[in-house]
Amino acid sequence: LAKILKRHRSYFEEKTALSDGANDAELYHGKYEKKIKSFAELLRTVQSIHRQVGNSNSEELTLSDLEQTEMQLDAALRRTRARKTQLMLETINALHDKEKTLREENQRLKTQ
């Protein structure tokens, strides 16, 4: 997980170094760092559950173990869905803002 995140960051930093540099890198770190941490947390949760189930023989798991695993998976799924919804709403809001800006620009150009 750490290697994947490190590789992703270095790729983006190299890409921004070729374009307009520091501003893009700063935006990346400010805007996407939270998202990366959130996804990393979800991945760790799923990996932890996988280890619990994978290290145990399914025949040896008690009903309580299985219920606990089910609750953990359900909680991870709910967090994932909530994050997905949040990202979709943020994208929609950004598109609405962009549309508003373009309409205003279009109106300004028509009046000139």
Side-chain angles (χ1 to χ4, degrees):
L1 175 65
K3 282 201 276 185
I4 293 169
L5 295 175
K6 186 176 181 180
R7 197 170 6 145
H8 178 70
R9 284 186 188 123
S10 75
Y11 168 78
F12 184 82
E13 288 169 355
E14 288 174 18
K15 183 179 168 189
T16 56
L18 297 174
S19 64
D20 60 354
N23 288 339
D24 285 343
E26 288 172 19
L27 285 174
Y28 168 78
H29 288 294
K31 186 175 181 182
Y32 296 104
E33 194 68 26
K34 278 186 188 177
K35 292 177 185 179
I36 290 172
K37 287 179 183 177
S38 176
F39 293 137
E41 179 184 324
L42 286 172
L43 182 59
R44 280 192 297 274
T45 301
V46 172
Q47 287 173 336
S48 171
I49 294 167
H50 183 270
R51 278 192 303 275
Q52 288 174 355
V53 174
N55 289 339
S56 306
N57 183 348
S58 61
E59 299 296 323
E60 296 173 3
L61 293 174
T62 66
L63 179 60
S64 177
D65 293 336
L66 292 172
E67 287 175 342
Q68 182 180 5
T69 301
E70 180 183 19
M71 287 188 295
Q72 289 174 335
L73 285 169
D74 187 51
L77 180 60
R78 277 186 270 121
R79 285 194 309 268
T80 301
R81 286 181 177 155
R83 184 67 182 139
K84 176 185 163 188
T85 301
Q86 179 185 5
L87 291 173
M88 288 172 50
L89 290 173
E90 288 174 4
T91 301
I92 289 169
N93 287 336
L95 289 171
H96 283 295
D97 291 345
K98 186 174 182 176
E99 178 185 23
K100 181 181 176 185
T101 302
L102 290 172
R103 285 181 193 266
E104 290 171 355
E105 180 69 17
N106 191 21
Q107 188 63 33
R108 188 183 62 77
L109 290 172
K110 284 181 180 179
T111 60
Q112 285 183 349

